[in-house]
Amino acid sequence: MSIILPSYQYRWIYLGKIKVKGLKTNEKNKPVLNLELKKIKSISLKNMFDDETLALKNVVTLFPVSPDGSYAVRISENVLNKINTTSSIDPKSINVLYLDLINHEDPTKFENQLIIVSASKKLDSIFVTTLNFDSTKPRAWVIFYFNRETLRSILRDELKEKDIDVDDINYIDLEYGSETYNLHGEFYLASDAQFFPKSFMKRISEEDEKQIYSQSFNIYDLSVTTSSLTIDEIHVGGSLYIKPRSGKIPYQYPFVIPFTYSKGSTIYPNDLYLNTFSLNIKVKVKLDKINDFIKNFIQYVKRSDHLLQSIQKVAMSKVFVEGIKECKIAEYEDIIRVERNTHFLSDRSKFTSIVFGHLIEIYKKFVSEGDKIKNIVDNLDVDKLVEKLTEIIVESEKKINYNNLRTSKCMDELKQRIVVSILELSLHGISHLIKKALISKLSLNPGDLGEYIIIRSPSILIKNLQILDGFYFYDTLTDNEIQGEVKIFVKRSYSYDTFNFFGSKDYNDVIDSIKNIIYIKNQDFRCDYNWAHEKLQLNRTYQILQNDSRTVNNVKLSDCITQLDGYIKGVVGSRVFYPPRSMFRYLYLKKFYVENQIEKCNDNLDQNRIDAIYKELKRPLQYIWPRYVHQCFDGCYSCVMLQKRECELIEVQQEYRISKAGALFLLQI
């Protein structure tokens, strides 16, 4: 296993020891692991190749370092094993390498990070923290790679006494320097973690713009151009995405550089594309057409239930959520924010990661409020839609200042923000559809195409926002309109000369390819057809399961399967809005929920018998719930979503940052 580290502007990596001081109990009567981190030696990255420190000279080539020593990307286990054999250790301590990214002058800073890697033969586990939101206490994002058997061995007696395992520990008190960091988090398997790299697009120049298509649709204008683009793709680390198989809620951990243009002397890994071919889609919406634009969008998404889910995405968008705060409709702490800012590129430039608990909360509210929202949609009532989406995003209706919400000033601003949100979602969808079409037309690989989305609007809508996640860019526009543009560019220098033949006929070919992706005959959605076919197959399997005569602990499995089917049908089967499949099991199929249904089959079961039945039901469950949850959540891998590394965002984030409905609405296909 190789250990991913953030690409970061640090100059030192430290050799240290973690002393396991034992278990204690906190005020919530929960077990707390007490650790002490001590520095033994500082290792300069810049001089590492010539350094005899800890006899690492022969293995340091396995530890990539930038030319100026400012970042390291991954550590091989060979390095860790070498450290383990060259440093003495007592039975209660663990040798570690660690990165200290903490501002020790202000230990309460939001950006503080500690990345700790134990020097073990097999690093099979990760502990990651959620942030301590008490701004008066020392706080840090901490990620700790370790071997759980090592911890179990050190804590054997105390774990046995408390009748718990290492996995049951959610609290760590980490003593480091003069501070104690009270950490709350989760233990995960290292095999459940994936690294998603992040990039920062810096447009340098653009020329030779040529228009190949233009159309006015009354409520908005659409134009398509080609151009020669010079762009710098700056690699700024990424995020560690942990998607556990155990049923724990997923976690996204940020590894992002606070990048600014001012640090001209700092070397960052980058790819510079000179005079590359770019296909540009531009949309303009006049401010006096805002109401009509939203109405037409709502009318369009009513074509299919899976398109209707786009309304969930509009509500969760950063620009709409910020509007609730800016209009003083609700206090900051009362707004449910699906994304958190992990690091600032500058004052108005942000990378984000998901707050999965909040994401689940929003999905649940849409499921429960679905009928009311559908009624508003059917009546094309934009004002009521704005009000209902606000109620979804704020924790409680009691926390909403309806006097402010219902003023024409706030209502107009929130409508404009909804338009910005629709453009963000739609242009991202257009980008992915065009990427899929261009790959075959221009004989490109999926990784050969990049995307760059620009939103231009009145400054009030993008206050405190300039760049989002490296490829959404926001600019102030003084004209009486909102503009959106996506640039799909080839990641090959001088590719403009190769592809500048691209004209209106080629664009029409791309649109035809997109139609083939989206539709089957008679303009039926391919995703609807796919789900109908899937349900047909799953229903056959379900009938077989219902006729299964097997029993476990005198309980018929078919009875439990019928019970679970009724439970799932009750929570989502007839609902207008539903969560994406990627999040469904975290909402409704946690072990606790399934066990409740098992007990309804036989209320005389002890926990061991319930566990045995649960184990037998885990496989059949996968044939039950997909019959009630559409495989497309206004976007899936069959239409607008791209595979890992073809889009900057992790799967779950990509799902609510993209819209098939919006893409088709803008393209009018």
Side-chain angles (χ1 to χ4, degrees):
M1 175 184 180
S2 290
I3 309 304
I4 300 293
L5 295 178
S7 300
Y8 208 96
Q9 189 186 0
Y10 56 84
R11 303 289 175 174
W12 302 88
I13 192 164
Y14 301 96
L15 176 68
K17 286 183 185 292
I18 281 187
K19 184 176 182 180
V20 182
K21 301 179 75 172
L23 292 175
K24 57 186 182 180
T25 303
N26 64 12
E27 64 277 2
K28 299 178 181 179
N29 202 31
K30 300 291 186 181
V32 179
L33 179 58
N34 194 13
L35 303 177
E36 181 183 17
L37 174 61
K38 286 190 173 181
K39 181 173 69 175
I40 297 174
K41 185 78 176 180
S42 304
I43 305 172
S44 166
L45 298 186
K46 192 169 186 178
N47 302 318
M48 205 169 177
F49 288 100
D50 301 318
D51 198 344
E52 298 289 346
T53 304
L54 301 173
L56 287 177
K57 187 173 182 180
N58 294 328
V59 295
V60 78
T61 53
L62 300 169
F63 193 157
V65 180
S66 75
D68 71 338
S70 66
Y71 66 91
V73 178
R74 64 175 72 228
I75 301 177
S76 166
E77 277 193 336
N78 294 336
V79 174
L80 301 173
N81 292 338
K82 185 72 175 179
I83 292 170
N84 215 31
T85 59
T86 56
S87 179
S88 61
I89 188 168
D90 69 72
K92 294 282 188 179
S93 295
I94 303 171
N95 282 331
V96 295
L97 281 177
Y98 69 96
L99 303 180
D100 181 348
L101 308 176
I102 289 178
N103 183 333
H104 290 277
E105 294 181 2
D106 183 2
T108 65
K109 284 185 72 66
F110 181 83
E111 295 87 355
N112 289 339
Q113 291 190 46
L114 273 172
I115 292 87
I116 306 168
V117 184
S118 67
S120 302
K121 290 184 178 179
K122 185 180 180 183
L123 297 173
D124 58 9
S125 302
I126 304 174
F127 181 86
V128 291
T129 64
T130 52
L131 188 64
N132 173 9
F133 286 98
D134 186 343
S135 60
T136 64
K137 292 183 178 180
R139 57 182 181 176
W141 298 93
V142 175
I143 183 165
F144 178 21
Y145 294 87
F146 69 101
N147 177 273
R148 69 180 58 202
E149 288 303 322
T150 301
L151 271 185
R152 284 184 180 132
S153 176
I154 295 173
L155 295 167
R156 182 181 293 110
D157 293 339
E158 293 177 85
L159 291 172
K160 185 176 180 180
E161 180 184 341
K162 293 181 180 291
D163 192 26
I164 60 172
D165 188 31
V166 168
D167 293 342
D168 299 320
I169 300 171
N170 297 115
Y171 297 89
I172 292 178
D173 280 357
L174 180 64
E175 300 173 20
Y176 179 52
S178 60
E179 306 290 350
T180 297
Y181 296 89
N182 307 120
L183 312 175
H184 177 247
E186 293 273 5
F187 283 102
Y188 296 97
L189 293 176
S191 57
D192 290 337
Q194 304 175 68
F195 184 74
F196 280 75
K198 290 281 189 183
S199 298
F200 175 85
M201 300 296 176
K202 180 182 177 184
R203 185 170 55 159
I204 297 173
S205 65
E206 187 171 17
E207 53 190 24
D208 297 330
E209 189 169 23
K210 178 176 63 176
Q211 183 168 291
I212 60 174
Y213 176 84
S214 179
Q215 181 70 49
S216 177
F217 295 103
N218 188 29
I219 55 172
Y220 69 93
D221 297 329
L222 176 72
S223 64
V224 183
T225 64
T226 61
S227 61
S228 172
L229 183 67
T230 294
I231 194 166
D232 198 6
E233 183 179 15
I234 304 163
H235 303 286
V236 291
S239 65
L240 193 70
Y241 174 43
I242 305 173
K243 188 177 181 181
R245 287 163 286 184
S246 63
K248 292 181 179 179
I249 293 177
Y251 192 89
Q252 186 181 9
Y253 187 91
F255 281 161
V256 182
I257 304 170
F259 178 92
T260 65
Y261 291 117
S262 61
K263 297 178 180 177
S265 61
T266 301
I267 299 174
Y268 295 94
N270 72 313
D271 290 303
L272 178 63
Y273 307 110
L274 300 169
N275 302 116
T276 182
F277 173 78
S278 179
L279 180 63
N280 317 305
I281 315 294
K282 301 178 182 179
V283 178
K284 297 180 180 180
V285 183
K286 294 289 186 183
L287 294 186
D288 60 3
K289 298 288 186 179
I290 292 294
N291 226 56
D292 292 335
F293 182 89
I294 297 173
K295 278 186 177 180
N296 277 264
F297 174 76
I298 293 172
Q299 186 68 49
Y300 190 90
V301 303
K302 290 165 60 179
R303 295 173 63 193
S304 172
D305 281 352
H306 80 271
L307 297 184
L308 196 62
Q309 309 312 313
S310 59
I311 294 174
Q312 297 195 54
K313 305 178 182 188
V314 170
M316 289 187 281
S317 70
K318 197 174 191 69
V319 70
F320 181 73
V321 171
E322 288 297 319
I324 296 173
K325 184 192 75 172
E326 293 297 323
C327 290
K328 298 182 179 179
I329 295 166
E331 298 296 328
Y332 179 89
E333 61 271 14
D334 296 325
I335 301 171
I336 307 172
R337 296 169 182 270
V338 169
E339 293 176 320
R340 62 187 166 208
N341 301 327
T342 56
H343 284 283
F344 292 91
L345 302 172
S346 64
D347 287 343
R348 294 192 297 154
S349 306
K350 302 170 177 69
F351 274 97
T352 61
S353 60
I354 303 173
V355 184
F356 281 92
H358 290 180
L359 183 62
I360 287 171
E361 190 175 350
I362 294 293
Y363 287 143
K364 281 186 174 180
K365 292 182 79 169
F366 263 99
V367 171
S368 64
E369 296 283 313
D371 290 340
K372 295 177 182 177
I373 301 170
K374 181 63 163 59
N375 185 57
I376 293 169
V377 168
D378 288 342
N379 292 321
L380 298 178
D381 192 326
V382 178
D383 284 21
K384 284 188 177 178
L385 180 65
V386 172
E387 190 168 307
K388 177 51 70 175
L389 295 187
T390 301
E391 291 171 352
I392 291 282
I393 293 301
V394 179
E395 286 185 354
S396 168
E397 292 181 22
K398 295 178 181 178
K399 304 289 183 69
I400 296 174
N401 185 330
Y402 283 97
N403 290 331
N404 284 354
L405 171 59
R406 289 165 179 163
T407 61
S408 58
K409 179 182 178 182
C410 281
M411 191 60 72
D412 287 347
E413 180 176 331
L414 290 177
K415 288 177 185 178
Q416 291 173 24
R417 287 176 178 274
I418 285 176
V419 170
V420 170
S421 175
I422 291 171
L423 290 179
E424 289 174 344
L425 294 163
S426 306
L427 291 170
H428 197 191
I430 288 173
S431 174
H432 285 194
L433 286 170
I434 288 179
K435 278 185 177 184
K436 289 185 176 185
L438 288 180
I439 285 168
S440 57
K441 181 169 182 62
L442 302 182
S443 299
L444 298 169
N445 296 315
D448 289 338
L449 293 169
E451 57 190 351
Y452 186 102
I453 296 170
I454 308 165
I455 300 294
R456 302 180 181 93
S457 72
S459 60
I460 192 170
L461 305 183
I462 55 173
K463 182 181 177 182
N464 301 323
L465 195 59
Q466 187 179 58
I467 306 168
L468 186 64
D469 287 324
F471 69 102
Y472 287 96
F473 292 79
Y474 300 83
D475 199 5
T476 299
L477 185 70
T478 56
D479 295 342
N480 200 31
E481 63 185 21
I482 297 172
Q483 298 179 7
E485 179 180 8
V486 60
K487 297 180 180 296
I488 303 101
F489 61 92
V490 180
K491 293 184 177 182
R492 294 180 188 173
S493 289
Y494 306 109
S495 59
Y496 179 73
D497 292 337
T498 305
F499 300 119
N500 66 2
F501 65 83
F502 198 96
S504 56
K505 182 181 181 302
D506 301 287
Y507 174 70
N508 290 334
D509 291 342
V510 165
I511 295 299
D512 288 340
S513 295
I514 290 173
K515 289 178 181 178
N516 287 331
I517 293 171
I518 298 298
Y519 299 112
I520 55 174
K521 59 184 178 180
N522 301 323
Q523 289 294 96
D524 292 331
F525 286 107
R526 189 175 299 277
C527 292
D528 285 339
Y529 171 81
N530 290 345
W531 189 42
H533 184 70
E534 180 191 30
K535 283 195 293 184
L536 184 65
Q537 301 298 320
L538 290 173
N539 282 332
R540 291 171 181 166
T541 304
Y542 178 70
Q543 292 302 318
I544 294 171
L545 293 172
Q546 273 196 316
N547 295 324
D548 190 346
S549 61
R550 287 182 303 147
T551 63
V552 177
N553 293 323
N554 297 319
V555 175
K556 285 185 67 175
L557 290 180
S558 59
D559 289 345
C560 290
I561 286 167
T562 302
Q563 179 66 36
L564 284 164
D565 179 68
Y567 158 68
I568 295 167
K569 184 177 181 180
V571 293
V572 294
S574 59
R575 305 301 176 96
V576 176
F577 289 95
Y578 54 85
R581 288 187 174 185
S582 62
M583 295 302 295
F584 183 82
R585 64 190 177 109
Y586 304 112
L587 277 89
Y588 301 113
L589 294 182
K590 291 180 181 178
K591 187 180 179 186
F592 172 77
Y593 298 147
V594 177
E595 286 178 344
N596 280 346
Q597 301 307 311
I598 293 172
E599 287 180 322
K600 290 179 181 180
C601 296
N602 187 330
D603 58 6
N604 293 319
L605 299 172
D606 60 25
Q607 189 58 49
N608 289 335
R609 296 170 74 190
I610 291 173
D611 288 343
I613 297 169
Y614 173 77
K615 184 177 180 181
E616 289 297 323
L617 289 173
K618 286 176 70 175
R619 184 174 179 84
L621 262 175
Q622 66 182 315
Y623 301 108
I624 300 174
W625 68 265
R627 294 154 57 238
Y628 300 109
V629 183
H630 203 302
Q631 59 186 231
C632 187
F633 183 71
D634 183 38
C636 63
Y637 290 112
S638 295
C639 52
V640 295
M641 286 182 63
L642 297 178
Q643 299 294 331
K644 180 184 177 182
R645 302 192 188 282
E646 295 175 23
C647 177
E648 285 285 304
L649 305 174
I650 67 173
E651 172 195 20
V652 178
Q653 204 169 17
Q654 188 183 162
E655 278 176 326
Y656 65 78
R657 285 277 203 91
I658 198 165
S659 174
K660 174 167 73 175
L664 303 182
F665 169 67
L666 290 185
L667 295 174
Q668 290 293 301
I669 59 175

